[in-house]
Amino acid sequence: MIAISNDFLDRYNRAGPRYTSYPTVPYWDNAFGEAEYRQALQTLSQRNDDALSVYVHLPFCAQRCHYCGCNATVTTHESVVDAYLDRVEREIDIVMDVVGGTRHAVQLHWGGGTPNFLTNAQMQRMYGILERHFTIDPRAEVAIEIDPRIASREQIQFIRSLGFNRVSLGIQDFDVMVQEAIGRIQPEALTREIYNTCRECGFDSVNVDLVYGLPGQTRVTFERTLHNIIELSPDRIACFSYAHLPNARANQRRVDVTFMPDHYEKFHLFQMAIDGFINAGYDWIGMDHFARHDDEMAVAARECRLHRNFMGYTIRPATDQIAFGMSSIGDMAHCFVQNDAKLGNYQKAIDEGRLPIVRGMRLSDDDMLRRRVITHMMCNLELPYNLTIADFGASVPELLPDELERVQPYIEEGFLDVEPDRLVVTTLGRFFIRNVCMEFDAYLGQQTDRPLFSKTI
Ligand code: SF4
């Protein structure tokens, strides 16, 4: 465990992006609309042989957890889901009409919300719609997020039979008091049963999601949770920092902040997770993920081949990512696009024959360069000086000399080691990697009317 003082932590605990994209969403343009999106899709249509990553957002949940930061919609009616799937099907038809033909997919991800809120018939329908438009590569990562509370043995078997080969189980914390504090009661026995069923069904990868910094978490409770997770032995673990943003997320106003660990304690909890998982044979991946030492993701990270997109870390990314459903984000032909996050607006746009895009951005060459630098650092914890993009044909020191000057204090602080051909992020620097990346961000500080970012810790 790294010993750092509270003063040190305060100095670097700054609000900043998690860099799931660069430029980050708050700086995308509301004027980037359907015409621009269609243009990007047409570019894709000219690259027929290129494989795609495909994301589908399935926002429904039975109830809203207090801590939730996702774009989720509560419903109890199957018909609401059917009506949504009608619109997603229509959206896919419109988009694929422009893209043309059946496309090859190397990554397919259903996120939410709670994708397994769908009935088997609804899941079959959704999968069938995708199969009509995409040929799913036999080696594709076909992943789904699962809420164990509403899963059953029969449902998991069905999901596997559809073609999914990866599952992520939402656990967050095993402690009952914490579960009560976040409005998500999930008996441990039930989680274990669903986990074991996933194993029996032969998924290539069974992963779990944890959250640290939740109300009610203490060193004692978290130690128990970590112990139980390690005992389960998932292939990969995502250990997310809880971002408390009650002004942007009304449901989080139900979180009793008096029970929330402060950021010093939160930092300690995260370090407990790192130590626990590393001692149990996992590699620490990127900022907050862990994978078994022999998992292909851990191997890719050691070989600096890891990538990251809106679906998370991946080793088999397509150049272009196409996304469907409310709030979903696509990334294609050097453009980002985002759909409307309000269910009613999303559906209305589709009913009117419009694509439901609300913002986007066409990346400049400078954006592409900085994106490459930031993504590579976030994934592979190094900045090779020869990391170039084709159009520039020059090295990082030639292209970004001011930025390299600005990271000097981080070198002196011990966040970065200097090697002849690159900067390497140290163990201490991993905790503050967002701070380092922020020095390469050309947009931070510019005015935006959208909610900004959570703090580093
Ligand atoms: S945390 Fe998951 S299950 Fe809970 S409301 Fe959010 S998306 Fe739904």
Side-chain angles (χ1 to χ4, degrees):
M1 201 167 280
I2 289 179
I4 62 172
S5 69
N6 290 351
D7 282 352
F8 187 94
L9 200 55
D10 287 339
R11 197 161 354 125
Y12 292 108
N13 191 26
R14 290 173 55 195
R18 288 175 52 78
Y19 290 113
T20 42
S21 73
Y22 178 83
T24 52
V25 180
Y27 298 101
W28 297 0
D29 186 358
N30 289 335
F32 188 105
E34 180 167 355
E36 290 78 9
Y37 183 24
R38 282 180 177 271
Q39 217 174 0
L41 293 171
Q42 265 151 16
T43 306
L44 281 194
S45 74
Q46 288 148 22
R47 294 196 263 113
N48 247 332
D49 294 337
D50 289 0
L52 299 172
S53 291
V54 181
Y55 175 80
V56 182
H57 192 72
L58 299 163
F60 302 102
C61 297
Q63 60 192 52
R64 186 84 159 159
C65 309
H66 302 347
Y67 72 100
C68 179
C70 303
N71 274 303
T73 297
V74 172
T75 186
T76 48
H77 302 293
E78 245 180 66
S79 59
V80 174
V81 181
D82 285 330
Y84 179 75
L85 296 185
D86 290 344
R87 276 41 173 255
V88 176
E89 179 170 18
R90 181 78 193 111
E91 184 193 2
I92 296 175
D93 284 344
I94 300 172
V95 166
M96 296 312 287
D97 226 31
V98 184
V99 174
T102 306
R103 297 295 294 254
H104 184 214
V106 288
Q107 193 184 15
L108 174 62
H109 189 110
W110 289 12
T114 306
N116 66 313
F117 185 82
L118 272 59
T119 63
N120 287 0
Q122 288 167 334
M123 281 195 260
Q124 185 153 33
R125 177 184 173 198
M126 188 68 247
Y127 207 89
I129 294 167
L130 293 168
E131 280 183 319
R132 279 211 304 279
H133 294 282
F134 299 96
T135 307
I136 300 168
D137 189 282
R139 292 182 64 232
E141 294 178 359
V142 187
I144 182 168
E145 297 167 11
I146 299 279
D147 182 343
R149 295 175 301 166
I150 57 164
S152 66
R153 185 176 185 78
E154 187 260 331
Q155 186 194 48
I156 297 292
Q157 287 166 342
F158 181 76
I159 286 170
R160 180 75 184 108
S161 73
L162 274 181
F164 287 95
N165 54 30
R166 292 175 181 272
V167 282
S168 287
L169 302 180
I171 293 181
Q172 329 314 343
D173 196 303
F174 275 130
D175 187 81
V176 176
M177 301 277 278
V178 174
Q179 293 183 359
E180 276 169 8
I182 60 173
R184 185 187 171 108
I185 301 298
Q186 185 171 323
E188 187 171 334
L190 179 142
T191 304
R192 283 182 183 278
E193 191 190 323
I194 297 301
Y195 177 89
N196 291 334
T197 303
C198 292
R199 284 291 182 212
E200 285 162 23
C201 287
F203 285 93
D204 295 347
S205 190
V206 182
N207 311 322
V208 303
D209 293 346
L210 294 187
V211 180
Y212 68 94
L214 292 173
Q217 275 177 344
T218 65
R219 296 182 190 194
V220 174
T221 67
F222 202 55
E223 183 71 49
R224 271 200 305 266
T225 288
L226 294 175
H227 174 270
N228 293 353
I229 294 288
I230 289 165
E231 202 180 66
L232 276 185
S233 195
D235 298 294
R236 298 175 188 169
I237 302 157
C239 186
F240 297 114
S241 166
Y242 172 54
H244 188 66
L245 299 167
N247 290 336
R249 298 169 187 155
N251 56 298
Q252 291 187 346
R253 291 176 205 147
R254 285 149 72 194
V255 168
D256 186 345
V257 290
T258 54
F259 290 114
M260 250 166 56
D262 63 22
H263 61 286
Y264 308 122
E265 195 56 22
K266 195 176 169 191
F267 185 66
H268 188 93
L269 295 176
F270 185 40
Q271 290 215 69
M272 282 172 61
I274 294 165
D275 288 356
F277 294 139
I278 288 177
N279 288 336
Y282 289 86
D283 280 11
W284 182 9
I285 307 290
M287 219 166 41
D288 47 17
H289 281 55
F290 301 86
R292 294 180 164 291
H293 188 69
D294 55 358
D295 185 288
E296 57 181 351
M297 180 172 282
V299 176
R302 286 198 293 278
E303 294 172 357
C304 296
R305 291 188 286 109
L306 199 59
H307 301 266
R308 191 162 174 244
N309 57 26
F310 285 101
M311 299 181 244
Y313 291 101
T314 178
I315 54 172
R316 270 191 285 281
T319 312
D320 302 294
Q321 179 186 324
I322 201 158
F324 305 107
M326 63 174 251
S327 79
S328 66
I329 289 176
D331 170 6
M332 82 278 300
H334 296 187
C335 294
F336 288 125
V337 291
Q338 182 170 33
N339 277 348
D340 205 305
K342 291 202 171 73
L343 181 63
N345 293 350
Y346 168 80
Q347 301 198 149
K348 184 166 180 282
I350 297 288
D351 290 346
E352 291 171 358
R354 290 182 287 117
L355 285 170
I357 176 175
V358 286
R359 64 180 63 91
M361 185 172 207
R362 185 178 308 283
L363 276 66
S364 66
D365 286 349
D366 185 64
D367 294 333
M368 293 298 291
L369 169 69
R370 291 170 192 273
R371 173 190 187 173
R372 178 103 197 269
V373 165
I374 289 173
T375 307
H376 192 87
M377 277 202 293
M378 297 289 290
C379 290
N380 299 307
L381 306 166
E382 60 159 15
L383 177 52
Y385 293 149
N386 66 356
L387 187 78
T388 57
I389 57 171
D391 296 346
F392 284 89
S395 67
V396 172
E398 289 165 312
L399 295 166
L400 299 169
D402 295 345
E403 288 72 9
L404 286 181
E405 194 59 42
R406 285 206 297 273
V407 300
Q408 277 303 318
Y410 296 114
I411 294 170
E412 284 150 30
E413 202 64 274
F415 293 176
L416 298 166
D417 281 340
V418 182
E419 293 189 359
D421 59 344
R422 59 185 190 151
L423 296 175
V424 178
V425 180
T426 63
T427 303
L428 174 64
R430 288 183 86 159
F431 294 102
F432 304 101
I433 181 78
R434 288 160 64 180
N435 300 50
V436 177
C437 290
M438 281 155 73
E439 301 298 344
F440 293 88
D441 188 330
Y443 292 87
L444 279 182
Q446 288 183 16
Q447 279 295 344
T448 167
D449 55 0
R450 297 198 192 100
L452 278 166
F453 313 106
S454 58
K455 290 204 168 176
T456 307
I457 304 299

